[in-house]
Amino acid sequence: MQERNIVVTDRNKKMGEKTMKILIIGGVAAGTKTAAKLKREDRSAEVTVITKDRDISYAGCGLPYYVGGLIENREELIVNTPAKYAGLTGVEVKTGKEAIALCADKKEVIVKDVETGAEEAYGYDKLVLTVGASPAKLPIEGTDLSGVFQMRTPDDAENIRSYVEENQVKKAVVIGAGFIGLEVAENLKAKGIQVTVIDFASQILPNIVDAEVAVYAKKHLLKEGIRVITGTKADAIMGNDHVTGVKTSAGLLRCELLIMAAGIRPNTDFLQDSGLEMFKGTILVDKTMKTNLEDVYAAGDCVMVTNRITGKPQWSPMGSSANLEGRTLAQVLTGTKKEYPGVLGTGVVKLPNLNIGRTGLTEEQAKNAGYDVVTVVAPTDDKAHYYPDAGFFITKLIADRESHKLLGVQVLGNGAVDKMVDIAVMGINMGAVLEDFENADFAYAPPFSTAIHPFVQAVYILLNKINGNLVSMTPAEYAAGKAKDYKVVDVGLTPSIRGAVYVNLSQVNGEIEGLDKEEKLLLVCAKGKRGYFLQNRLRSYGYKNTVVLEGAQFFNDVKVQHAENAVSPEEETRVKALGFLRDKTTLDKFNGRVITRNGKITADEARTIAEAAELFGSGEVTMTSRLTMEIQGVPFDNIEPLREYLMQAGLETGGTGSKVRPVVSCKGTTCQYGLIDTFGLSEEIHERFFHGYANVKLPHKFKIAVGGCPNNCVKPDLNDLGIIGQRIPQVDMEKCRGCKICRVEKNCPINVAKVVDGKIVIDENSCNHCGRCIGKCPFNAFEDYTNGYRIYIGGRWGKKVAQGRYLEKVFTDKEEVLSVVEKAILLFREQGITGERFADTVARIGFENVQEQLLGDELLSRKEENIKAQKHLKGGATC
């Protein structure tokens, strides 16, 4: 070790002194938990916590939600301040102190003051290393650019949130599709930012869930508007002073914000020459959390513990296990005979409208551990199906075929997936086999669960599979092409699989005409139950080769090869909601509407649309009157592949149904007459109301147009709501000379500017505020002006035409304009009658009434109950 100028503090243990001096390096989860429990177990212990950061005991797992605004104040993330923690526990806390070397032979840690650089040696009787881990810094150019962040501390979260607000960030890229990366993506999306997540692995949540579960979750994220690209490497971060994009193996991804969440690495570099036994940066410990060095222990994100099922080493950097390890270690240090039993890798993540939880081994991990693995994928209700807000669980159970021992679980759902995971955790901890769950008396009431608990239902299905009562095909096997030689049998309540043989379960009382007893039959229903019932019935009638598809249509994209029959009305309605309208000259071809936000797309997006048209459609693209691009001639079976192809590029289909429609915009300030940035405003409206209100049903379609001037190119006054740029002249009458030929009068396009009695006069009630008069007076009487917005409501064209009327106020604040847009949508939902257009609503309740509501705040105060109300379930739009 190099020579250092060191001040030695009076912390070395003296002969005969009974007080145990414990030094803890690191003050977040494991460190503070160890210290607090130590003082509770032994008040005489002298416990000191040293940490480099100014914060201790902060909620690292809550950081993404602070960025998204769900957690409003930074203080809410700080569980304890150093002073408060010291007062509660009696632990001495020293912040701003960085451990830089361990001298185990001297029982000293060399510590540097981060502000002054001064070094000193801290002695100890027992040393606890809880140094945690930090985000891995990518070895690429550009990581130091402004707008590039990591996500580990409250300072990181605060800096990201400030940067987003100060720079009005519109596009972000998150590198890393693990828990933190996906949580950050969700919260950025909630702030109206377009988010792309990339990961070098072939799936999201690598080593956390199995591939088929990851595929389902990825498709869900794409549908929610979060672009996800897997199998993609970041090569360089682009920009001069600030980030402008990321160069990847999938091309250039433009962004104004980049979050690096591609894994973490233990903060153990300073321990490399200490003699400490480590593996890939993690500290190796035994079951008492002791290292190979005398009186040196470790816990938390920096240690390698054991897997509770396999007994093999596992790195599991989670806040939950860090706390458990710290508590156990404190008891060990104070003389309790106790061991830390290891981890299961339990985790849960919240995504937009989907939660994912897991514990134990994945299928792949279980196979690698030598188990004879058997699995099942089981969709179930999460509570009584008739109860309001009932949702679903998709549960994958992993077990050992011979012993029936439960090895792992993965659960997806829009509700409490954690309770499903927690049942599995307790079962695995107790060494449970599947039969132990068969008659488990779990809590039941319609608001909470189903009569037979969803976990128990999944166990029943897996036991049926093991016992041979159920012969099934897993989603992974189906995706790999195992069903190639099978005839698909649709066992749904109604026919829903195009090209499949439909069988009405309730009418099966013997052999089925058209189904051979020897041929391979794949039985598919909505969730799997009816398929199992049919298999059971067919078996008694001599059918030998029936297989039920696990997860059924709920989890799998089921297609019949070479299906040529017409699309059912139900399927036609379903894909219409996705933006695909059937070409009436064909049986199964559709025209898919690609949303362009406001009629403006990038060259990359245009190329993607053209490629998609060639790959999945006829190769032709048309423009609609709403400035969406429509890919022509898409066969029904190509709809989902086309949508996924577009979503990978950040594009989406849609623009139909009784909801807020895509915004149309003129060219705004790129036109010689444009007064406002229509592209910018319409993009904000698109994010706030087309996306933000995507799931809100209205009485009918609601169309919005933004025009840059009163020339009315995109007909704002013939939309349900229209916004027109205004330029209001501020006339300086003292400068008016009353010219015989007035240039202002001559240039007024609608002839409302008149010279009367030697002075220019403009009729305010007739002026349309086009701004053409500005700068025309040679004596500068028309130099000053105010930019603003005029809002029209109640227009429409089509079968019936209605001219919209403008609100009496000319708005000068863009946020106020956006607020009026939202209030108009809320008013239409609350007071409109299903099937009527907004123009009808305005006419029925009166323009003055509507105007008064739009200029007030009552509609916003009722927003939450309005959105939650079960209204307009059908809607009136037919296209």
Side-chain angles (χ1 to χ4, degrees), residues 833-851:
I833 298 171
T834 300
E836 73 177 5
R837 291 293 299 272
F838 188 48
D840 302 321
T841 304
V842 173
R844 179 169 51 78
I845 65 178
F847 176 84
E848 298 301 330
N849 181 349
V850 172
Q851 177 171 248

PDB file of all heavy atoms in Angstrom, residues 833-851:
ATOM      1  N   ILE A 833     -74.990  12.885 -24.697  1.00  0.00           N
ATOM      2  CA  ILE A 833     -75.809  11.673 -24.754  1.00  0.00           C
ATOM      3  C   ILE A 833     -75.162  10.709 -25.737  1.00  0.00           C
ATOM      4  O   ILE A 833     -74.741  11.113 -26.828  1.00  0.00           O
ATOM      5  CB  ILE A 833     -77.248  12.006 -25.211  1.00  0.00           C
ATOM      6  CG1 ILE A 833     -77.913  12.949 -24.205  1.00  0.00           C
ATOM      7  CG2 ILE A 833     -78.075  10.742 -25.388  1.00  0.00           C
ATOM      8  CD1 ILE A 833     -79.243  13.501 -24.662  1.00  0.00           C
ATOM      9  N   THR A 834     -75.067   9.445 -25.358  1.00  0.00           N
ATOM     10  CA  THR A 834     -74.429   8.451 -26.212  1.00  0.00           C
ATOM     11  C   THR A 834     -75.000   8.509 -27.627  1.00  0.00           C
ATOM     12  O   THR A 834     -76.217   8.433 -27.826  1.00  0.00           O
ATOM     13  CB  THR A 834     -74.617   7.040 -25.641  1.00  0.00           C
ATOM     14  OG1 THR A 834     -74.028   6.988 -24.345  1.00  0.00           O
ATOM     15  CG2 THR A 834     -73.946   5.997 -26.529  1.00  0.00           C
ATOM     16  N   GLY A 835     -74.117   8.662 -28.594  1.00  0.00           N
ATOM     17  CA  GLY A 835     -74.526   8.683 -29.989  1.00  0.00           C
ATOM     18  C   GLY A 835     -74.572  10.070 -30.601  1.00  0.00           C
ATOM     19  O   GLY A 835     -74.581  10.205 -31.826  1.00  0.00           O
ATOM     20  N   GLU A 836     -74.580  11.126 -29.777  1.00  0.00           N
ATOM     21  CA  GLU A 836     -74.650  12.468 -30.350  1.00  0.00           C
ATOM     22  C   GLU A 836     -73.260  13.081 -30.468  1.00  0.00           C
ATOM     23  O   GLU A 836     -72.365  12.784 -29.679  1.00  0.00           O
ATOM     24  CB  GLU A 836     -75.562  13.384 -29.537  1.00  0.00           C
ATOM     25  CG  GLU A 836     -74.997  13.834 -28.200  1.00  0.00           C
ATOM     26  CD  GLU A 836     -75.927  14.817 -27.462  1.00  0.00           C
ATOM     27  OE1 GLU A 836     -77.040  15.070 -27.958  1.00  0.00           O
ATOM     28  OE2 GLU A 836     -75.535  15.312 -26.399  1.00  0.00           O
ATOM     29  N   ARG A 837     -73.074  13.949 -31.459  1.00  0.00           N
ATOM     30  CA  ARG A 837     -71.818  14.673 -31.632  1.00  0.00           C
ATOM     31  C   ARG A 837     -71.761  15.851 -30.669  1.00  0.00           C
ATOM     32  O   ARG A 837     -72.785  16.298 -30.127  1.00  0.00           O
ATOM     33  CB  ARG A 837     -71.685  15.165 -33.079  1.00  0.00           C
ATOM     34  CG  ARG A 837     -71.473  14.064 -34.109  1.00  0.00           C
ATOM     35  CD  ARG A 837     -70.122  13.364 -33.943  1.00  0.00           C
ATOM     36  NE  ARG A 837     -69.000  14.269 -34.116  1.00  0.00           N
ATOM     37  CZ  ARG A 837     -68.424  14.553 -35.295  1.00  0.00           C
ATOM     38  NH1 ARG A 837     -68.880  13.996 -36.400  1.00  0.00           N
ATOM     39  NH2 ARG A 837     -67.395  15.378 -35.364  1.00  0.00           N
ATOM     40  N   PHE A 838     -70.586  16.391 -30.489  1.00  0.00           N
ATOM     41  CA  PHE A 838     -70.402  17.516 -29.566  1.00  0.00           C
ATOM     42  C   PHE A 838     -71.244  18.716 -30.007  1.00  0.00           C
ATOM     43  O   PHE A 838     -71.769  19.466 -29.179  1.00  0.00           O
ATOM     44  CB  PHE A 838     -68.927  17.889 -29.490  1.00  0.00           C
ATOM     45  CG  PHE A 838     -68.596  18.895 -28.426  1.00  0.00           C
ATOM     46  CD1 PHE A 838     -69.078  18.747 -27.136  1.00  0.00           C
ATOM     47  CD2 PHE A 838     -67.790  19.986 -28.710  1.00  0.00           C
ATOM     48  CE1 PHE A 838     -68.771  19.681 -26.146  1.00  0.00           C
ATOM     49  CE2 PHE A 838     -67.467  20.914 -27.733  1.00  0.00           C
ATOM     50  CZ  PHE A 838     -67.960  20.771 -26.444  1.00  0.00           C
ATOM     51  N   ALA A 839     -71.390  18.899 -31.328  1.00  0.00           N
ATOM     52  CA  ALA A 839     -72.225  19.997 -31.831  1.00  0.00           C
ATOM     53  C   ALA A 839     -73.658  19.856 -31.327  1.00  0.00           C
ATOM     54  O   ALA A 839     -74.309  20.863 -30.980  1.00  0.00           O
ATOM     55  CB  ALA A 839     -72.201  20.005 -33.363  1.00  0.00           C
ATOM     56  N   ASP A 840     -74.153  18.622 -31.273  1.00  0.00           N
ATOM     57  CA  ASP A 840     -75.509  18.389 -30.768  1.00  0.00           C
ATOM     58  C   ASP A 840     -75.602  18.696 -29.284  1.00  0.00           C
ATOM     59  O   ASP A 840     -76.597  19.244 -28.807  1.00  0.00           O
ATOM     60  CB  ASP A 840     -75.928  16.934 -31.031  1.00  0.00           C
ATOM     61  CG  ASP A 840     -75.868  16.564 -32.506  1.00  0.00           C
ATOM     62  OD1 ASP A 840     -76.234  17.413 -33.330  1.00  0.00           O
ATOM     63  OD2 ASP A 840     -75.452  15.434 -32.808  1.00  0.00           O
ATOM     64  N   THR A 841     -74.544  18.320 -28.543  1.00  0.00           N
ATOM     65  CA  THR A 841     -74.524  18.601 -27.109  1.00  0.00           C
ATOM     66  C   THR A 841     -74.559  20.103 -26.861  1.00  0.00           C
ATOM     67  O   THR A 841     -75.317  20.596 -26.018  1.00  0.00           O
ATOM     68  CB  THR A 841     -73.267  17.982 -26.454  1.00  0.00           C
ATOM     69  OG1 THR A 841     -73.222  16.588 -26.726  1.00  0.00           O
ATOM     70  CG2 THR A 841     -73.275  18.187 -24.947  1.00  0.00           C
ATOM     71  N   VAL A 842     -73.726  20.849 -27.608  1.00  0.00           N
ATOM     72  CA  VAL A 842     -73.668  22.307 -27.454  1.00  0.00           C
ATOM     73  C   VAL A 842     -75.031  22.913 -27.783  1.00  0.00           C
ATOM     74  O   VAL A 842     -75.536  23.789 -27.066  1.00  0.00           O
ATOM     75  CB  VAL A 842     -72.565  22.905 -28.346  1.00  0.00           C
ATOM     76  CG1 VAL A 842     -72.619  24.428 -28.310  1.00  0.00           C
ATOM     77  CG2 VAL A 842     -71.192  22.413 -27.901  1.00  0.00           C
ATOM     78  N   ALA A 843     -75.634  22.446 -28.881  1.00  0.00           N
ATOM     79  CA  ALA A 843     -76.938  22.983 -29.280  1.00  0.00           C
ATOM     80  C   ALA A 843     -78.006  22.656 -28.252  1.00  0.00           C
ATOM     81  O   ALA A 843     -78.891  23.481 -27.948  1.00  0.00           O
ATOM     82  CB  ALA A 843     -77.324  22.429 -30.650  1.00  0.00           C
ATOM     83  N   ARG A 844     -77.938  21.460 -27.673  1.00  0.00           N
ATOM     84  CA  ARG A 844     -78.974  21.016 -26.745  1.00  0.00           C
ATOM     85  C   ARG A 844     -78.917  21.762 -25.418  1.00  0.00           C
ATOM     86  O   ARG A 844     -79.949  22.163 -24.872  1.00  0.00           O
ATOM     87  CB  ARG A 844     -78.840  19.501 -26.508  1.00  0.00           C
ATOM     88  CG  ARG A 844     -79.839  18.920 -25.535  1.00  0.00           C
ATOM     89  CD  ARG A 844     -79.818  17.392 -25.556  1.00  0.00           C
ATOM     90  NE  ARG A 844     -78.484  16.837 -25.411  1.00  0.00           N
ATOM     91  CZ  ARG A 844     -77.826  16.744 -24.239  1.00  0.00           C
ATOM     92  NH1 ARG A 844     -78.397  17.175 -23.116  1.00  0.00           N
ATOM     93  NH2 ARG A 844     -76.614  16.223 -24.194  1.00  0.00           N
ATOM     94  N   ILE A 845     -77.724  21.956 -24.878  1.00  0.00           N
ATOM     95  CA  ILE A 845     -77.654  22.610 -23.556  1.00  0.00           C
ATOM     96  C   ILE A 845     -77.348  24.095 -23.655  1.00  0.00           C
ATOM     97  O   ILE A 845     -77.375  24.798 -22.642  1.00  0.00           O
ATOM     98  CB  ILE A 845     -76.621  21.908 -22.639  1.00  0.00           C
ATOM     99  CG1 ILE A 845     -75.207  22.053 -23.182  1.00  0.00           C
ATOM    100  CG2 ILE A 845     -76.960  20.456 -22.459  1.00  0.00           C
ATOM    101  CD1 ILE A 845     -74.150  21.415 -22.271  1.00  0.00           C
ATOM    102  N   GLY A 846     -77.033  24.575 -24.874  1.00  0.00           N
ATOM    103  CA  GLY A 846     -76.868  26.005 -25.081  1.00  0.00           C
ATOM    104  C   GLY A 846     -75.413  26.452 -25.093  1.00  0.00           C
ATOM    105  O   GLY A 846     -74.633  26.086 -24.205  1.00  0.00           O
ATOM    106  N   PHE A 847     -75.063  27.237 -26.108  1.00  0.00           N
ATOM    107  CA  PHE A 847     -73.685  27.704 -26.248  1.00  0.00           C
ATOM    108  C   PHE A 847     -73.237  28.498 -25.028  1.00  0.00           C
ATOM    109  O   PHE A 847     -72.122  28.318 -24.527  1.00  0.00           O
ATOM    110  CB  PHE A 847     -73.547  28.554 -27.521  1.00  0.00           C
ATOM    111  CG  PHE A 847     -72.181  29.149 -27.694  1.00  0.00           C
ATOM    112  CD1 PHE A 847     -71.152  28.409 -28.274  1.00  0.00           C
ATOM    113  CD2 PHE A 847     -71.897  30.447 -27.254  1.00  0.00           C
ATOM    114  CE1 PHE A 847     -69.885  28.952 -28.426  1.00  0.00           C
ATOM    115  CE2 PHE A 847     -70.635  30.987 -27.392  1.00  0.00           C
ATOM    116  CZ  PHE A 847     -69.624  30.236 -27.987  1.00  0.00           C
ATOM    117  N   GLU A 848     -74.081  29.401 -24.531  1.00  0.00           N
ATOM    118  CA  GLU A 848     -73.686  30.242 -23.400  1.00  0.00           C
ATOM    119  C   GLU A 848     -73.403  29.393 -22.164  1.00  0.00           C
ATOM    120  O   GLU A 848     -72.465  29.650 -21.409  1.00  0.00           O
ATOM    121  CB  GLU A 848     -74.792  31.267 -23.102  1.00  0.00           C
ATOM    122  CG  GLU A 848     -75.080  32.234 -24.237  1.00  0.00           C
ATOM    123  CD  GLU A 848     -73.856  33.047 -24.625  1.00  0.00           C
ATOM    124  OE1 GLU A 848     -73.002  33.299 -23.748  1.00  0.00           O
ATOM    125  OE2 GLU A 848     -73.751  33.433 -25.811  1.00  0.00           O
ATOM    126  N   ASN A 849     -74.212  28.354 -21.968  1.00  0.00           N
ATOM    127  CA  ASN A 849     -74.008  27.437 -20.851  1.00  0.00           C
ATOM    128  C   ASN A 849     -72.656  26.740 -20.984  1.00  0.00           C
ATOM    129  O   ASN A 849     -71.866  26.662 -20.029  1.00  0.00           O
ATOM    130  CB  ASN A 849     -75.148  26.421 -20.820  1.00  0.00           C
ATOM    131  CG  ASN A 849     -75.041  25.425 -19.676  1.00  0.00           C
ATOM    132  OD1 ASN A 849     -74.033  25.338 -18.991  1.00  0.00           O
ATOM    133  ND2 ASN A 849     -76.097  24.652 -19.476  1.00  0.00           N
ATOM    134  N   VAL A 850     -72.399  26.222 -22.182  1.00  0.00           N
ATOM    135  CA  VAL A 850     -71.138  25.516 -22.428  1.00  0.00           C
ATOM    136  C   VAL A 850     -69.964  26.463 -22.234  1.00  0.00           C
ATOM    137  O   VAL A 850     -68.960  26.128 -21.592  1.00  0.00           O
ATOM    138  CB  VAL A 850     -71.124  24.906 -23.840  1.00  0.00           C
ATOM    139  CG1 VAL A 850     -69.744  24.341 -24.159  1.00  0.00           C
ATOM    140  CG2 VAL A 850     -72.187  23.836 -23.969  1.00  0.00           C
ATOM    141  N   GLN A 851     -70.068  27.679 -22.780  1.00  0.00           N
ATOM    142  CA  GLN A 851     -68.979  28.651 -22.652  1.00  0.00           C
ATOM    143  C   GLN A 851     -68.682  28.963 -21.189  1.00  0.00           C
ATOM    144  O   GLN A 851     -67.518  28.998 -20.766  1.00  0.00           O
ATOM    145  CB  GLN A 851     -69.335  29.940 -23.396  1.00  0.00           C
ATOM    146  CG  GLN A 851     -68.281  31.030 -23.237  1.00  0.00           C
ATOM    147  CD  GLN A 851     -68.528  32.208 -24.137  1.00  0.00           C
ATOM    148  OE1 GLN A 851     -67.763  32.453 -25.059  1.00  0.00           O
ATOM    149  NE2 GLN A 851     -69.600  32.956 -23.887  1.00  0.00           N
TER     150      GLN A 851
END
